[in-house]
């Protein structure tokens, strides 16, 4: 009996590791390339082991461009991303609760409107949106990046929260109502604690999408001192001339670290979630 | 809904109206952030793009009205439009089911309290973090290139080396594999959903002697259905709008075999300076997406189970 | 509804308003005190090396001209043209922009770029040390819309060590298309498995060159139709690649398609081909650095009894926005960028060969190996040049994707015959050109 259990555990962990290797191969490759001398990156591309370790790539990458180092980009990205995560968490939970639990008129048409905005490619709204933000004097500030998050700019998250809230039994609301809770009280004391795993998901995604986003900062930020990491990363390369691939890969690795940390931090809320709160309990 | 539950108490019509007015106020207060954003920043640009779709607009000079010409051209005289439609449909129908199945499978695998599971989740999420970065394009081309690791593995089985990313026959399948491999976001959503299923349900079923498969079908699937529904809708929409993979890795080639709809649209807008036509393309895409999404929503009534709504 | 909710909502709206207001305040402040102070915005694309050098030159200029402040906006190549198009559409184009030959006609044709001739006349922009071949590329309808900031020439890359290893004499200027085919075949035969003579080129760049050798051009003078009448020209041109692919002289597409346009990943880097067709001369630096061994530039094959195909191509330009309020100051900066020796020592011909004679001479003496090769090659190409054709008309970017998708790639993969490709190209290209 015990041996069988051990065998099962072995198979479980073994197969996960084998598949996992395939999962992380690209990151291993990126790390390897970030340590290779420039002319080895593509000459000896399949090899994961550099002939000599070049820490210099990290140094050269970090130094950035002119007197603009990656420290600036990291600070900027951290600021923008933190604001966006806060904004997204606030706005998407409120809006989702409204859609999922309050039976107001025009609820369905408005919900449909929200879903439709997901289907229009950004490329064609970019120009009118730019003109709008330009008129507001927001170009070359972080406002076009941050404000939309506070006003529910990403319907993906609203829809996600709606789905989770709809999964929570209404008896809980009613019980709270009987105890004298207001609607907002139900949202704050009942629903929010029960959606912790979903909130963690929203936080992880909005962090990582914002951190990675290239187009919005590219278009709206002019002053290079305001640039984010994603912009910094692509400033190393120009296919037609001499690209700094080594430093580019080095900074790509550096850029993944905050994302991993955030993931590790939030993923424990994924695990806790309901089991700790106790739906039925 | 408490208000709703109480409605029965108010029989007179005026009371009902009064109540509804109050409910409206609460509802709009909650959705206000989105509504402000929608009215302030979204609807205007959307209408603008609809207007552009009836014009000849080269981005750099002002648009001129040409009626339905863009739409007519698209359907009657643009073979690349049809190619883009074809590629995009293959991509959506190839990648979405696979990606969802894989994401659900891995999420279930990780929905345990075994040791090291946190680490595993991270490992499997890594490809999605790499996302659309410059690095991933280079890595993916390398991995599926002629001298890449994939060919090294395949050669063990005697399969000849091909440059998968640039082969007209395999390029699209390679991109499908890429997005399936980036299954991190639906996986996390599934995980969060699985966590929300009360353990008591499984315990009770186990006591009744239900097999794991039976538990999966009778408990996991229905309880998870709102989340499956969400992932299905979102992945389908995102599939139709897919851009980065093709744009960064294959640039739509070779010979338009990976010409995603959004890539074609982008090319029209920013490389050929034909924003009018690109806008028309965008609205057709919206229509296609809308039809599929509406279809999924329609079927949802029969298979999506909401705890809060008594399983209708 | 509780008070709590009211508060939250209130706070929400207020923060929004406050943030919005404070930002517009700060924006208007900067517009204030500008009596003789000049602020210029300048936008370019490039890689790390170029950014560092360009920033240093800007600092140098600001030191020498304390009344000028230049704010640098730079990115990589990806996304550059969206950023520019978006800014143009929003009426917010920087004063100085780096421009590509491919897009010059589009931007100039839409009245977005300033004519710089008045500033040449007023001596703000000093081009007295620049030969006409280096200026012509930026002129449309007698107006100077762009100043070349690095000259290029069409080239091929050869690995002479591989020629030697195969026991084959290197290519010499004046060699013909036939000679290329033969030598490439011998290279393939003598260099062993999986090594090929040539990384072929059946693209629009090579075809334009081929047309020039026949004294023709891809576009008609007014840019509303194709400039050549006989499809046989395209058929013959494509046949060269088809022959080389068939004989094994050229590497199959599997070998070279992965790299795309990224020269550092070309198969020659791994000694898989000995020749690369159709590159720009300034790319030698990147290819050599990727390969880690010396490579050489060579002229395009010549046509027996044909015309000279080469021309001096502007690698990149600087243009001044028509909307700029400081056009003269912008022109002065471009003048400095072009003529100043110290600035060009910093720039080190990274964008291509400098156009001012004195600067070129100075840099050539001090150039690195790869740099020297580029200088010498551009001089060689100049000897084999005749004047450049006018910039591509509007719609040309669409023609180029058409050529890549429906001519070049299918030829590589053997999916069409040259005849079919030529006919199809004429039909679709004519439609596109007639549209504009």
């Amino acid at each position: 009996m015990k041996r069988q259990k051990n065998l099962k555990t072995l198979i479980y962990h073994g197969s996960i590791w084998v598949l996992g290797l395939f999962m992380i191969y690209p990151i291993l490759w990126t790390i390897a390339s970030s340590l290779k001398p420039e002319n080895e990156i593509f000459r000896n591309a399949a090899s994961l082991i550099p002939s000599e370790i070049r820490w210099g790539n990290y140094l050269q990458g970090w130094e950035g461009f002119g007197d603009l180092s990656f420290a600036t980009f990291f600070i900027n990205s951290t600021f923008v991303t933190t604001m966006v995560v806060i904004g997204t968490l606030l706005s998407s939970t409120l809006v989702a609760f409204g859609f999922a639990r309050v039976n107001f008129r025009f609820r369905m048409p408005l919900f449909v409107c929200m879903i439709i905005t997901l289907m229009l490619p950004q490329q064609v709204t970019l120009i009118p949106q730019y003109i709008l933000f330009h008129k507001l004097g927001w170009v070359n500030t972080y406002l076009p990046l941050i404000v939309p998050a506070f006003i529910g700019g990403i319907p993906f998250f609203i829809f996600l929260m709606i789905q989770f809230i709809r999964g929570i039994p209404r008896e809980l609301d009613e019980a709270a109502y009987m105890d004298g809770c207001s609607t907002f009280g139900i949202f704050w004391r009942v629903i929010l604690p029960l959606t912790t795993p979903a909130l963690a998901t929203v936080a992880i995604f909005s962090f990582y999408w914002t951190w990675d986003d290239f187009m919005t900062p590219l278009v709206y930020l002019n002053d290079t001192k305001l640039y984010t990491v994603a912009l910094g990363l692509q400033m190393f390369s120009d296919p037609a001339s001499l690209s700094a691939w080594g430093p580019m890969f080095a900074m790509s690795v550096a850029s993944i670290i905050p994302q991993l940390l955030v993931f590790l931090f939030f993923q424990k809320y994924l695990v806790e979630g309901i089991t700790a709160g106790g739906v039925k309990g | 809904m408490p208000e709703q539950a109480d409605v029965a108490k108010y029989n007179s019509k005026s009371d009902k109206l009064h109540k509804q007015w109050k409910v409206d106020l609460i509802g709009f207060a909650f959705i206000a952030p989105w509504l402000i954003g929608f009215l302030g920043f979204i609807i205007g640009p959307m209408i603008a793009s609809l207007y552009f779709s009836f014009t000849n607009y080269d981005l750099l000079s002002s648009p001129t009205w040409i009626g339905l010409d863009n739409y007519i051209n698209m359907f009657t005289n643009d073979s690349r439009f049809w190619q883009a439609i074809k590629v995009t449909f293959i991509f959506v129908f190839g990648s979405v089911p696979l990606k969802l199945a894989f994401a659900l499978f891995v999420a279930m695998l990780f929905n345990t309290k075994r040791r090291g599971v946190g680490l595993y989740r991270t490992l499997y999420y890594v490809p999605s973090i790499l996302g659309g970065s410059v690095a991933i394009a280079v890595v993916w081309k390398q991995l599926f290139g002629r001298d890449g690791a994939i060919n090294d593995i395949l050669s063990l089985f005697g399969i000849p080396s091909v440059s998968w990313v640039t082969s007209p026959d395999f390029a699209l399948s390679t991109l499908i594999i890429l997005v399936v491999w980036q299954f991190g976001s639906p996986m996390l959503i599934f995980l969060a959903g699985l966590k929300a299923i009360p353990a008591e349900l499984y315990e009770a079923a186990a006591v009744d002697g239900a097999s794991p498969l039976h538990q999966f079908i009778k408990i996991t699937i229905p309880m998870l259905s709102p989340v499956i529904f969400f992932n299905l809708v979102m992945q389908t929409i995102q599939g139709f709008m897919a851009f980065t993979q093709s744009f960064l890795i294959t640039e739509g080639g070779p010979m338009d075999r990976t010409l995603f709809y959004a890539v074609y649209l982008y090319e029209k807008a920013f490389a050929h300076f034909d924003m009018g036509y690109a806008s028309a393309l965008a609205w057709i895409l919206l229509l296609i997406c809308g039809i599929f999404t509406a279809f999924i929503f329609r079927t949802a009534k029969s298979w999506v189970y909401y705890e809060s709504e008594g399983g209708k | 509804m509780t008070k709590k909710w009211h508060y939250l909502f209130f706070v929400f709206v207020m923060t929004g308003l406050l943030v919005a207001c404070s930002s517009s305040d700060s924006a208007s402040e900067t517009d204030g005190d500008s009596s003789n102070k000049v602020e210029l915005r300048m936008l370019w694309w490039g890689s790390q090396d170029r950014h560092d050098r360009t920033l240093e030159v800007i600092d140098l200029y600001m030191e020498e001209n304390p009344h000028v402040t230049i704010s640098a906006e730079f990115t990589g190549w990806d996304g550059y043209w969206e950023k520019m198009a978006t800014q143009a559409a929003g009426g917010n184009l920087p004063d100085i922009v780096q421009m590509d030959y491919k897009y010059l006609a589009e931007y100039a044709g839409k009245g977005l770029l300033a004519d710089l001739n008045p500033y040449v006349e007023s001596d703000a922009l000093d081009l007295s040390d620049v030969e006409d071949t280096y200026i012509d590329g930026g002129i449309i309808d007698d107006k100077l819309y762009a100043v070349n900031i690095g000259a290029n020439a069409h080239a091929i890359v050869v690995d002479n060590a591989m020629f030697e290893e195969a026991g084959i004499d290197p290519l010499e200027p004046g060699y013909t298309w036939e000679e290329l085919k033969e030598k490439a075949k011998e290279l393939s035969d003598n260099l062993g498995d999986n090594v090929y003579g040539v990384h072929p080129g059946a693209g629009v760049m090579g075809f334009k060159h081929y047309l020039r050798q026949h004294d023709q051009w891809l576009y008609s003078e007014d840019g509303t139709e194709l400039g050549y009448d006989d499809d046989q020209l395209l058929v013959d041109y494509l046949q060269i690649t088809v022959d080389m692919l068939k004989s094994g002289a050229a590497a199959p597409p599997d070998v070279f398609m992965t790299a795309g346009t990224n020269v550092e990943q070309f198969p020659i880097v791994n000694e898989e081909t000995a020749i690369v067709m159709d590159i720009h001369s300034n790319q030698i630096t990147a290819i050599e650095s990727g390969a880690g061994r010396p490579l050489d530039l060579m002229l395009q094959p010549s046509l027996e009894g044909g015309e000279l195909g080469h021309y001096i191509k502007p690698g990149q330009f600087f243009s001044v926005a028509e909307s700029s309020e400081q056009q003269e100051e912008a022109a002065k900066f471009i003048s400095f960028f072009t003529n100043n020796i110290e600035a060009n020592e910093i720039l080190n011909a990274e964008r291509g060969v400098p156009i001012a004679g004195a600067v070129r001479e100075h840099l050539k003496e001090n150039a690195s190996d790869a740099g020297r090769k580029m200088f010498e090659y551009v001089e060689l190409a100049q000897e084999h040049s005749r004047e450049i054709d006018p910039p591509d008309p509007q719609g040309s970017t669409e023609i180029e994707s058409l050529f890549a998708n429906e001519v070049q790639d299918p030829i590589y993969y053997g999916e069409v015959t040259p005849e079919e490709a030529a006919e199809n190209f004429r039909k679709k290209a004519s439609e596109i050109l007639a549209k504009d």
Side-chain angles (χ1 to χ4, degrees):
Chain A
M1 187 70 185
K2 198 173 174 214
R3 243 178 58 202
Q4 204 186 3
K5 204 180 161 200
N6 278 344
L7 191 71
K8 252 181 156 170
T9 315
L10 196 73
I11 292 172
Y12 176 85
H13 289 280
S15 49
I16 284 178
W17 272 109
V18 171
L19 204 60
L21 217 60
F22 182 67
M23 290 292 142
I24 58 162
Y25 176 87
I27 208 164
L28 295 180
W29 192 88
T30 311
I31 295 172
S33 297
S34 74
L35 294 169
K36 285 179 179 177
E38 198 69 42
N39 63 22
E40 205 180 299
I41 294 174
F42 296 112
R43 267 178 68 76
N44 204 356
S47 159
L48 288 181
I49 299 147
S51 68
E52 51 169 318
I53 302 270
R54 279 281 174 93
W55 293 109
N57 285 337
Y58 281 82
L59 219 69
Q60 194 194 331
W62 189 260
E63 276 171 3
F65 316 92
D67 49 11
L68 197 68
S69 85
F70 254 79
T72 313
F73 301 147
F74 271 91
I75 292 168
N76 294 342
S77 274
T78 309
F79 172 72
V80 170
T81 314
T82 312
M83 293 303 285
V84 168
V85 171
I86 294 172
T88 309
L89 282 174
L90 276 175
S91 67
S92 62
T93 46
L94 278 172
V95 176
F97 180 83
F99 275 121
R101 281 295 206 254
V102 187
N103 250 334
F104 58 98
R105 274 175 289 186
F106 307 115
R107 185 173 71 147
M108 274 321 281
L110 285 171
F111 178 76
V112 170
C113 276
M114 188 184 75
I115 296 294
I116 283 177
T117 60
L118 282 169
M119 301 176 198
L120 197 66
Q122 210 197 352
Q123 288 97 332
V124 296
T125 47
L126 184 68
I127 303 275
Q129 219 154 35
Y130 180 87
I131 294 172
L132 186 69
F133 285 134
H134 183 51
K135 291 232 165 86
L136 288 171
W138 287 12
V139 168
N140 207 19
T141 71
Y142 289 133
L143 294 173
L145 282 63
I146 294 172
V147 173
F150 281 90
I151 49 180
I154 311 170
F156 178 95
F157 296 120
I158 300 175
F159 186 27
L160 177 69
M161 290 307 299
I162 290 178
Q163 288 308 96
F164 274 95
I165 293 174
R166 287 177 82 176
I168 296 169
R170 271 183 198 263
E171 299 94 70
L172 294 178
D173 301 27
E174 278 154 28
Y177 185 69
M178 296 303 164
D179 292 347
C181 244
S182 66
T183 312
F184 186 77
I186 295 170
F187 165 71
W188 191 254
R189 299 218 189 93
V190 181
I191 301 292
L192 270 194
L194 287 178
T195 48
T196 318
L199 292 175
T201 322
V202 170
I204 291 172
F205 288 172
S206 64
F207 184 92
Y208 135 72
W209 284 349
T210 314
W211 190 269
D212 255 14
D213 184 19
F214 166 67
M215 210 35 110
T216 324
L218 174 81
V219 167
Y220 288 111
L221 302 178
N222 294 329
D223 189 344
T224 39
K225 285 188 198 69
L226 299 177
Y227 274 21
T228 59
V229 173
L231 282 181
L233 281 180
Q234 63 89 38
M235 278 153 64
F236 286 110
S237 71
D238 172 9
S241 69
L242 187 61
S243 300
W245 292 108
M248 194 273 272
F249 284 121
M251 286 304 102
S252 299
V253 172
S255 146
I256 289 168
I257 292 169
Q259 302 187 62
L260 275 182
L261 290 178
V262 165
F263 183 82
L264 287 173
F265 174 76
F266 280 108
Q267 75 135 354
K268 78 173 186 257
Y269 294 100
L270 281 179
V271 195
E272 283 173 5
I274 302 293
T275 36
V279 173
K280 299 262 151 139
Chain B
M1 197 62 249
E3 277 83 1
Q4 202 179 29
D6 290 346
V7 162
K9 286 189 225 156
Y10 298 89
N11 284 320
S12 87
K13 208 175 178 189
S14 69
D15 268 348
K16 232 182 199 167
L17 272 180
H18 171 75
K19 199 71 190 166
Q20 186 58 44
W21 175 83
K22 223 177 139 191
V23 172
D24 289 350
L25 196 71
I26 296 172
F28 277 96
F30 270 101
I31 66 159
W34 170 75
L35 202 59
I36 293 168
F38 179 71
L39 296 176
F41 299 111
I42 312 274
I43 190 114
M46 275 182 88
I47 291 171
S49 79
L50 184 62
Y51 165 69
F52 292 154
S53 78
F54 299 108
T55 65
N56 186 3
Y57 177 36
D58 65 11
L59 275 183
L60 309 178
S61 34
S62 46
T64 49
W65 184 266
I66 52 166
L68 286 171
D69 280 11
N70 285 328
Y71 291 94
I72 294 169
N73 235 330
M74 194 185 308
F75 285 101
T76 58
N77 191 26
D78 185 356
S79 56
R80 294 187 80 200
F81 163 72
W82 293 108
Q83 172 68 12
I85 292 267
K86 188 178 124 193
V87 167
T88 308
F89 270 77
I90 297 176
F91 176 76
V92 169
F93 289 105
S95 67
V96 173
L98 266 179
K99 185 175 183 175
L100 290 183
F102 201 50
L104 180 56
F105 173 74
V106 175
M108 304 230 349
L109 216 57
F110 291 159
N111 186 29
T112 69
K113 287 218 153 93
R114 283 178 204 265
R115 266 175 55 195
V117 87
L119 174 70
Y120 294 158
R121 271 199 285 266
T122 315
L123 280 188
Y124 279 63
Y125 189 65
V126 160
S128 309
I129 291 184
L130 278 168
S133 65
V134 194
I136 194 68
V138 182
V139 176
W140 203 250
K141 276 188 186 174
Q142 208 291 309
L143 189 63
F144 282 90
R146 204 173 58 105
D147 308 316
I150 296 294
N151 275 331
D152 289 347
I153 296 169
L154 292 177
S155 67
L156 297 178
F157 304 98
I159 299 168
S161 287
V162 177
S163 172
W164 304 96
V165 211
T166 55
S167 144
D169 300 329
F170 300 112
L172 185 54
S173 328
T174 311
L175 292 188
I176 291 178
I177 296 175
L178 168 65
V179 296
V180 172
W181 171 77
Q182 293 183 325
F183 62 91
S185 61
M187 174 188 82
L188 283 196
I189 296 170
F190 278 137
L191 255 177
L194 286 170
K195 287 292 166 200
I197 302 176
E200 293 84 355
L201 290 180
Y202 290 106
E203 284 157 19
V207 171
D208 292 346
S211 69
L213 182 70
H214 199 78
Q215 289 180 21
F216 177 73
I217 293 168
K218 288 287 175 203
I219 301 170
T220 312
I221 293 288
M223 292 300 287
L224 205 58
S225 59
V227 173
I228 297 177
F229 171 69
F230 171 81
N231 273 335
L232 183 63
V233 171
M234 288 317 304
Q235 292 299 326
T236 308
I237 294 179
Q238 286 178 351
F240 277 113
M241 316 264 285
F243 175 74
T244 339
Q245 297 85 4
S246 165
F247 184 69
L248 283 180
I249 299 174
T250 58
E251 295 168 54
M255 293 176 277
D256 286 344
R257 294 291 159 84
T258 58
L259 186 69
F260 289 7
Y261 197 96
V263 172
Y264 182 49
L265 187 156
Y266 170 90
E267 201 183 302
K268 278 284 166 202
F270 291 101
H272 302 163
F273 295 97
D274 201 346
M275 186 50 99
Y277 197 76
S279 301
L281 284 171
W283 280 86
I284 292 295
L285 180 62
L286 184 136
L287 209 66
I288 297 173
C289 262
I291 291 169
F292 276 91
T293 313
F295 177 74
I296 301 173
F297 268 89
R298 209 21 77 78
T299 65
K301 291 198 174 68
S302 65
W303 63 275
V304 180
Y305 171 87
Y306 291 107
E307 181 83 349
S308 59
E309 279 135 49
K312 57 170 166 177
Chain C
M1 294 245 289
T2 59
K3 279 192 177 147
K4 219 174 187 177
W5 162 241
H6 280 289
Y7 282 132
L8 194 71
F9 184 66
F10 185 66
V11 168
F12 228 114
V13 172
M14 284 316 286
T15 10
L17 285 176
L18 279 175
V19 175
C21 293
S22 64
S23 81
S24 48
D25 281 353
S26 66
S28 55
E29 260 168 44
T30 47
D31 293 337
D33 56 316
S34 54
S35 43
N36 62 346
K37 287 240 184 269
V38 175
E39 281 182 33
L40 294 175
R41 288 167 59 209
M42 173 174 161
L43 175 67
W44 72 88
W45 80 83
S47 57
Q48 193 182 22
D49 189 38
R50 178 177 303 166
H51 302 321
D52 286 345
R53 292 175 192 278
T54 312
L55 287 167
E56 213 178 312
V57 170
I58 290 176
D59 285 343
L60 182 69
Y61 186 76
M62 294 198 294
E63 244 167 64
E64 289 182 13
N65 301 275
H67 68 293
V68 181
T69 321
I70 298 179
S71 64
E73 302 172 7
F74 49 97
T75 72
W77 169 261
D78 288 327
Y80 183 81
W81 295 102
E82 288 99 297
K83 189 178 166 85
M84 190 129 125
T86 313
Q87 292 190 333
N92 192 25
L93 214 53
D95 302 275
I96 305 171
V97 292
Q98 188 169 311
M99 183 47 72
D100 190 74
Y101 200 54
K102 207 164 121 177
Y103 291 97
L104 181 61
E106 304 271 3
Y107 277 85
K110 277 147 199 161
L112 289 160
L113 305 180
D115 176 13
L116 296 174
N117 275 327
Y119 305 107
V120 177
E121 278 154 28
S122 75
D123 275 339
L125 176 56
D126 176 9
L127 296 178
S128 56
D129 193 22
V130 185
E131 290 165 61
D132 283 349
T133 38
Y134 291 104
I135 302 176
D136 290 346
I139 297 176
I140 302 173
D141 298 335
D142 298 325
K143 294 196 171 95
L144 179 66
Y145 286 114
V147 179
N148 183 347
I149 47 169
N152 264 331
H154 188 168
I156 74 171
V157 175
V158 291
D159 182 342
N160 281 326
M162 287 172 80
F163 274 71
E164 201 171 307
E165 191 191 327
I168 297 165
D169 292 335
L171 296 169
E172 293 291 342
Y175 73 102
T176 61
W177 287 100
E178 281 310 312
E179 217 176 318
L180 173 75
K181 284 195 209 169
E182 283 160 27
K183 287 200 165 157
K185 174 79 172 93
E186 282 177 59
L187 283 163
S188 284
D189 291 344
N190 298 359
L191 287 171
D193 285 351
N194 296 323
V195 181
Y196 303 90
V198 62
H199 170 169
V204 74
M205 179 180 175
F207 181 50
K208 281 175 169 175
H209 196 110
Y210 192 75
L211 283 172
R212 281 175 62 87
Q213 294 182 331
H214 287 89
D215 200 17
Q216 307 233 12
W217 186 237
L218 187 56
Y219 304 106
S220 67
E221 226 158 89
D222 60 0
T224 56
E225 55 186 339
L226 289 177
Y228 65 99
D229 292 323
D230 187 359
D231 278 346
Q232 192 59 37
L233 287 169
L234 180 51
V235 172
D236 289 346
Y237 170 70
L238 295 174
Q239 194 61 46
I240 298 168
T241 301
V242 171
D243 288 347
M244 291 199 295
L245 283 165
K246 218 174 262 168
S247 72
D254 246 13
V255 173
F256 62 82
M257 288 292 278
T258 320
T261 52
N262 194 349
V263 293
E264 283 144 305
Q265 293 174 57
F266 278 1
I268 195 170
V269 166
N270 285 320
E271 297 179 295
E272 289 176 294
T273 72
I275 306 171
V276 184
M277 301 303 290
D278 298 340
I279 66 136
H280 296 298
S281 53
N282 67 327
Q283 292 177 311
I284 184 73
T285 333
I287 300 188
E288 270 199 348
S289 127
R293 65 180 197 281
L295 298 169
D296 287 291
L297 290 164
M298 178 42 63
L299 295 174
Q300 187 79 349
S302 54
L303 184 76
E304 268 171 286
E307 297 281 329
L308 293 173
H310 278 283
Y311 56 93
I312 298 300
K313 181 183 185 281
Q316 286 123 40
F317 298 106
F318 274 146
S319 289
V320 175
E322 178 64 26
S323 59
S324 166
E325 286 163 14
Q326 302 285 354
Q327 293 185 359
E328 178 150 10
E329 288 291 337
K332 280 185 192 161
F333 175 76
I334 297 175
S335 187
F336 174 82
F337 202 91
T338 306
N339 295 303
N340 186 285
I341 299 269
E342 201 184 335
N344 277 282
E345 269 179 359
I346 298 168
L347 293 168
N348 200 18
E350 185 273 329
R351 285 181 169 86
V353 172
I355 60 169
V359 170
R360 204 160 54 233
E361 284 311 312
H362 179 84
L363 283 191
K364 205 170 83 180
E365 285 163 23
N366 307 308
S368 66
D369 268 0
R372 196 177 33 75
K373 280 177 192 164
M374 178 178 83
F375 278 99
E376 283 170 1
Y377 177 76
V378 171
E379 273 173 15
L380 175 71
Q382 203 177 348
E383 285 166 27
H384 291 80
S385 293
R386 57 186 182 85
E387 80 284 4
I388 190 169
D389 288 277
D392 295 345
Q394 296 184 30
S396 63
T397 48
E398 206 171 343
I399 300 283
E400 287 182 12
S401 28
L402 172 69
F403 200 96
N405 283 314
E406 302 199 19
V407 179
Q408 172 189 293
D409 289 357
I411 285 289
Y412 287 154
Y413 287 103
E415 299 215 343
V416 293
T417 64
E419 288 79 10
E420 288 162 0
E423 202 191 317
N424 178 39
F425 177 68
R426 173 170 298 277
K427 184 173 148 277
K428 292 191 176 156
S430 303
E431 270 174 31
I432 294 169
L433 289 169
K435 201 170 58 184
D436 287 302

